[in-house]
Amino acid sequence: MTGFGYLLPYDFSPLTVLSFALVLGLYGVALLKMPEKERPGSVRILTFMVGVLLCYSVMQTRFDYYSQYMFFVHRGQHLILHHIGPILIALSNPLPILRFWYDKTGTRTRILLRPLGWLYRLLQQPVIASVLFVGLIYFWLWPPVHFDAMLSRQLYWIMNWSMLLDGLLFWWLIFDSRPPAITSALGYGKRILLLALVAIPQMILGAWIVFSRGMVYDVYEVCGRAWPMPPETDQLLGGLLTWIPPAMMSILGILIILRRAMHEDGKFTARKTATEGTPL
């Protein structure tokens, strides 16, 4: 297969291609039409593009084929869909782009979108968001469910899309750029606590897969593996990808939140000093 062939979809999904094309199209149009002073910087634009293209690549290139026939590649796919891609998108802060399109919508459209806003606010409740974030990982890795999902085209796409959408919701809650002191955004301390809490069950699940005796996910034996790799090695690598990288993502997230909190506290202190003046 040529290099170009690896970029073609293994299992073509018109909905997936159109969805990603629509996101990139709306983002590009907004960049061209919004005022220059409100436009995101080049680093933020690049971060957003990389995050979106990473998610697309694991869903609509040859990578998807290996994800269906190798457990450790599948875990890499979900690592990108649930963690890396959404983290990059959230860190790029697309809020100005969203605000631009929201201002373009009419009153009737806003009324129609109101139920989605209610659902969004419900899913952004810290307890619900964290339980859903970890719960989906456990649900799709529950051996009977995982077996059915890997053999059903519809379930397979539902699994991947649910991981991507949930990852976007959770990491936006964590990396919301609005300052908690003057907005309704979640406080920095609560964000750090959530990141620590969601890391623990992911580490437990990954360790269970690594140290399990026998094959936990025998669906890859039924379908056959893409490469002549021992089943035990495939499961070991998949368990490690479930165990270590997500924990590292939580640690990285905590460091970013701490940096933001310190930066905001420094700005608040400087503003307070300038307002009160320096005593003689």
Side-chain angles (χ1 to χ4, degrees):
M1 181 177 293
T2 63
F4 178 74
Y6 282 98
L7 300 178
L8 296 176
Y10 166 66
D11 185 6
F12 177 67
S13 169
L15 175 62
T16 302
V17 174
L18 289 175
S19 298
F20 279 91
L22 181 62
V23 168
L24 292 176
L26 291 175
Y27 191 86
V29 170
L31 288 178
L32 293 175
K33 291 190 173 183
M34 64 194 308
E36 185 175 355
K37 63 180 181 179
E38 299 178 7
R39 195 176 301 160
S42 56
V43 174
R44 285 170 54 190
I45 295 174
L46 179 62
T47 302
F48 179 85
M49 296 293 293
V50 171
V52 172
L53 292 177
L54 274 176
C55 293
Y56 175 84
S57 67
V58 299
M59 295 179 74
Q60 283 293 278
T61 66
R62 194 68 179 176
F63 191 99
D64 184 53
Y65 165 77
Y66 298 115
S67 299
Q68 296 185 40
Y69 290 94
M70 299 296 293
F71 178 63
F72 85 92
V73 181
H74 167 77
R75 296 313 305 144
Q77 180 188 50
H78 279 196
L79 178 65
I80 291 175
L81 291 177
H82 207 220
H83 290 78
I84 299 175
I87 285 176
L88 292 174
I89 294 172
L91 286 176
S92 72
N93 185 19
L95 192 59
I97 306 294
L98 297 174
R99 188 181 297 115
F100 171 84
W101 285 112
Y102 182 79
D103 293 340
K104 295 292 183 181
T105 60
T107 304
R108 182 176 300 179
T109 304
R110 294 182 184 182
I111 293 175
L112 294 175
L113 293 176
R114 193 169 294 169
L116 291 179
W118 295 335
L119 178 61
Y120 170 78
R121 287 188 290 272
L122 174 65
L123 295 178
Q124 290 298 83
Q125 296 297 315
V127 175
I128 295 177
S130 56
V131 170
L132 191 61
F133 184 76
V134 175
L136 273 179
I137 300 174
Y138 272 76
F139 176 76
W140 291 118
L141 283 179
W142 185 25
V145 174
H146 190 77
F147 188 94
D148 292 339
M150 299 306 293
L151 293 180
S152 168
R153 187 174 186 268
Q154 290 75 20
L155 275 180
Y156 179 77
W157 283 110
I158 291 173
M159 173 177 64
N160 286 345
W161 271 107
S162 67
M163 295 297 283
L164 173 57
L165 294 176
D166 179 59
L168 289 171
L169 286 171
F170 179 80
W171 291 109
W172 177 252
L173 175 66
I174 296 299
F175 294 127
D176 190 344
S177 60
R178 298 174 300 165
I182 58 176
T183 67
S184 59
L186 190 66
Y188 293 130
K190 293 180 180 179
R191 300 187 200 191
I192 292 173
L193 179 61
L194 286 185
L195 286 172
L197 290 177
V198 299
I200 296 173
Q202 292 181 85
M203 294 169 64
I204 293 174
L205 178 60
W208 172 73
I209 296 173
V210 168
F211 295 110
S212 291
R213 295 181 179 179
M215 292 308 302
V216 179
Y217 303 103
D218 53 359
V219 65
Y220 300 93
E221 290 294 301
V222 175
C223 299
R225 287 180 165 78
W227 301 312
M229 176 182 289
E232 296 80 8
T233 304
D234 188 18
Q235 182 167 292
L236 173 64
L237 293 175
L240 290 174
L241 284 173
T242 307
W243 180 357
I244 298 176
M248 294 174 62
M249 295 297 102
S250 286
I251 294 173
L252 177 63
I254 289 173
L255 293 176
I256 293 174
I257 296 302
L258 284 173
R259 182 179 180 276
R260 283 188 179 181
M262 293 172 64
H263 179 70
E264 188 173 314
D265 183 64
K267 289 173 59 178
F268 176 78
T269 302
R271 193 183 305 117
K272 183 178 179 181
T273 302
T275 302
E276 296 179 351
T278 305
L280 298 176

